[in-house]
């Protein structure tokens, strides 16, 4: 797992705190020093200052529903417990009609975002994706569809021999509003070669998001941390996202995803997932490095609702949402529930002394102080 223990340092961050207070951008070496620090409270204090400047007491959440349309995947990344080969026990592929049924099943819960992601299934072409989008769009006209990772979009482009802009335009035409941040993992070619050798490169992931931004689609970004990556590789990842955001301004939120090893090829006896310190540090350092991202989101599914709540004092201003159903991390051993009721999210935010704000995907306010 993350080989940081030997080099953790306490204190000595005063110069960086000065920079943060002055609103100066942090560089690569600064970020590495922050990640290698064990001074969690200093990191929290700095990240909280940045968060407070941007958002005051407001904490966002959304009523959303995740759907995973297929777990059949040709990539079979080593960190993933969700993917299957066609015909394997447990392999499944939903029809567009079944996806629509799932999208509408909680109509009464007033969901405003549908998040659909899945594996790279050779049997599914652009028509399947467009049919799925049209059905969901027709069934839930006001709902924002934030779906398909850059990896899926690239796969469609390659399998249809089409430019990525064209694939995105067709998906947009069929109802796609926004891309989620999945599939980014860690951009380092060294890491990708070891944990997801068949996946698109980090450069390609960034290109797909840039193409989406050009078409006026807002997107999210993630990092999958807590496996074999070094502190330097994490910071490089953040800086590359920051550079693209400087050019396009198209990213909405950054979401660190804590690696869950169970049932994956990276599982090692005696090693479990990330620690609470690591989770809070990743969130705080992301808040400090990504000065041009408005939002840093804690995905409670990955780190648990209680730590997600605590992360509100470590740079986080968004708790994601109700989710309703999650397969990818639960297949990898996540012990969190499948859904978090709206009232519980509101309770967590209030108990942290903050103002809960229900938002839509684009951070338009639906209800404040709810
Ligand atoms: O792309 C896969 C990651 C992602 C594991 O954009 C794993 O708002 C941990 O991207 N342990 C899917 N993570 C989830 C995702 C996401 C979640 C919430 C919000 C948003 C957003 C995006 O999960 C995958 C991959 O990077 N993942 N396997 C694992 N074993």
């Amino acid at each position: 797992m993350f080989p940081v223990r030997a080099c953790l340092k306490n204190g000595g961050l005063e110069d960086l705190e000065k920079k943060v207070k002055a609103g100066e951008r942090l560089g690569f070496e600064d970020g590495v020093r922050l990640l290698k620090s064990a001074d969690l409270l200093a990191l929290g204090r700095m990240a909280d200052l940045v968060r407070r400047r941007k958002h005051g007491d407001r904490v966002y959440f959304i009523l959303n529903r995740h759907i995973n349309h297929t777990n059949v995947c040709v990539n079979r990344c080593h960190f993933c417990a969700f993917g299957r080969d066609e015909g394997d026990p447990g392999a499944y592929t939903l029809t567009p009609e079944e996806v629509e049924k799932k999208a509408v099943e909680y109509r009464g819960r007033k969901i405003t975002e549908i998040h659909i992601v899945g594996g790279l299934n050779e049997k599914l072409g652009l028509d399947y994706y467009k049919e799925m989008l049209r059905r969901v769009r027709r069934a839930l006209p006001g709902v924002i569809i934030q779906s398909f990772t850059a990896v899926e979009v690239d796969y469609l482009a390659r399998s249809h021999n089409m430019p990525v802009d064209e694939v995105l335009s067709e998906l947009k035409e069929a109802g796609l509003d926004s891309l989620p941040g999945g599939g980014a993992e860690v951009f380092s070619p060294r890491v990708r070669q070891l944990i997801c050798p068949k996946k698109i490169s980090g450069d390609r992931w960034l290109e797909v998001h840039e193409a989406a931004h050009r078409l006026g689609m807002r997107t999210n970004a993630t990092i999958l941390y807590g496996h074999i990556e070094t502190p330097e590789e994490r910071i490089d990842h953040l800086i590359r996202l920051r550079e693209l955001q400087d050019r396009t301004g198209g990213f909405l939120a950054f979401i660190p995803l804590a690696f869950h090893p169970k049932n994956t090829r990276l599982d090692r006896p005696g090693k479990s997932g990330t620690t609470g310190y690591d989770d809070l540090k990743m969130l705080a350092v992301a808040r400090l490095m990504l000065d041009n991202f408005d939002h840093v989101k804690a995905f409670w599914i990955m780190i648990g609702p209680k730590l997600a709540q605590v992360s509100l004092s470590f740079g986080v201003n968004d708790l994601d949402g109700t989710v309703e159903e999650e397969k990818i991390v639960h297949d990898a051993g996540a012990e969190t529930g499948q859904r978090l009721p709206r009232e519980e999210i509101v309770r967590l935010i209030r108990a942290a002394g903050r103002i809960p704000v229900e938002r839509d995907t684009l951070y338009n306010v639906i209800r404040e102080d709810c």
Side-chain angles (χ1 to χ4, degrees):
M1 298 295 142
F2 188 47
V4 78
R5 214 174 323 142
C7 48
L8 282 182
K9 285 204 180 79
N10 261 303
L13 298 177
E14 295 77 10
D15 57 325
L16 299 185
E17 195 152 3
K18 252 193 205 154
K19 270 193 174 179
V20 170
K21 279 188 183 151
E24 274 178 51
R25 176 163 275 195
L26 300 179
F28 177 82
E29 294 301 337
D30 297 334
V32 172
R33 271 178 63 203
L34 290 171
L35 264 188
K36 286 185 176 175
S37 169
D39 199 344
L40 184 62
L41 292 184
L43 294 183
R45 196 167 56 239
M46 287 187 252
D48 196 55
L49 176 74
V50 175
R51 178 206 57 77
R52 186 165 288 283
R53 277 186 189 144
K54 286 182 185 281
H55 302 290
D57 281 337
R58 298 162 111 219
V59 174
Y60 294 91
F61 69 96
I62 190 163
L63 305 188
N64 61 353
R65 205 256 191 261
H66 282 216
I67 299 172
N68 302 121
H69 56 282
T70 182
N71 60 358
V72 174
C73 189
V74 298
N75 271 358
R76 304 306 307 271
C77 299
H78 301 184
F79 60 78
C80 180
F82 174 68
R84 302 277 189 285
D85 289 337
E86 180 79 48
D88 274 358
Y92 74 87
T93 301
L94 303 179
T95 63
E97 201 176 351
E98 287 166 331
V99 173
E100 177 189 346
K101 255 195 203 147
K102 275 188 176 284
V104 299
E105 72 189 337
Y106 303 126
R107 220 191 272 262
R109 292 187 185 157
K110 304 221 177 335
I111 282 158
T112 64
E113 174 186 279
I114 299 286
H115 175 129
I116 310 168
V117 296
L120 305 184
N121 183 335
E122 287 169 305
K123 296 217 167 122
L124 306 179
L126 193 51
D127 286 344
Y128 165 91
Y129 284 84
K130 290 194 324 196
E131 162 84 1
M132 183 201 301
L133 288 165
R134 282 199 203 98
R135 280 180 172 274
V136 174
R137 168 63 59 244
R138 210 179 313 127
L140 299 168
V143 163
I144 294 184
I145 307 179
Q146 183 180 63
S147 295
F148 316 133
T149 64
V151 180
E152 293 169 272
V153 174
D154 166 80
Y155 190 63
L156 285 173
R158 280 188 291 125
S159 52
H160 290 269
N161 208 7
M162 284 166 72
V164 86
D165 298 72
E166 241 171 75
V167 170
L168 283 167
S169 295
E170 291 206 17
L171 294 173
K172 192 175 174 200
E173 171 85 21
L176 183 67
D177 297 296
S178 171
L179 299 186
E185 323 317 354
V186 177
F187 294 146
S188 151
R190 179 195 78 88
V191 172
R192 288 183 109 73
Q193 183 54 39
L194 291 169
I195 69 167
C196 50
K198 292 192 183 165
K199 188 163 252 168
I200 56 168
S201 66
D203 285 340
R204 182 62 172 160
W205 187 96
L206 290 161
E207 266 171 38
V208 173
H209 279 257
E210 186 159 11
H213 297 170
R214 265 199 307 275
L215 289 171
M217 292 167 115
R218 306 297 302 274
T219 72
N220 285 341
T222 59
I223 185 172
L224 177 71
Y225 67 96
H227 40 88
I228 62 155
E229 83 289 0
T230 64
E232 287 78 7
E233 285 161 340
R234 285 192 196 181
I235 298 299
D236 172 68
H237 184 96
L238 296 179
I239 289 180
R240 294 183 70 189
L241 288 172
R242 188 169 78 181
E243 284 167 357
L244 178 54
Q245 181 75 330
D246 275 342
R247 285 208 300 283
T248 66
F251 286 119
L252 288 163
F254 179 70
I255 311 108
L257 303 174
F259 174 54
H260 284 57
K262 203 165 168 197
N263 307 320
T264 77
R265 283 206 254 170
L266 300 182
D267 200 1
R268 296 284 174 273
K271 302 261 185 195
S272 39
T274 59
T275 65
Y277 249 61
D278 203 14
D279 294 332
L280 291 178
K281 277 170 53 174
M282 188 65 238
L283 287 158
V285 173
R287 178 63 287 166
L288 290 167
M289 294 303 295
L290 297 177
D291 53 6
N292 54 4
F293 274 62
D294 283 341
H295 306 284
V296 173
K297 177 155 91 169
F299 191 38
W300 60 265
I301 289 266
M302 302 256 179
I303 61 170
K306 287 187 179 184
L307 194 61
Q309 180 198 34
V310 171
S311 76
L312 298 178
S313 292
F314 289 80
V316 168
N317 69 288
D318 188 319
L319 288 188
D320 198 82
T322 43
V323 179
E324 308 291 346
E325 184 181 48
E326 201 288 328
K327 292 184 188 298
I328 298 174
V329 215
H330 283 89
D331 280 357
E335 287 171 3
T336 45
Q338 289 285 321
R339 69 177 300 253
L340 205 54
R342 183 186 197 284
E343 314 77 66
E344 183 57 13
I345 301 177
V346 166
R347 188 175 82 93
L348 291 170
I349 297 171
R350 278 205 195 290
R354 303 284 173 74
I355 302 165
V357 181
E358 187 191 332
R359 64 164 175 94
D360 70 10
T361 309
L362 304 173
Y363 287 84
N364 297 306
V365 173
I366 294 177
R367 199 133 65 97
E368 181 150 353
D369 205 5
C370 33

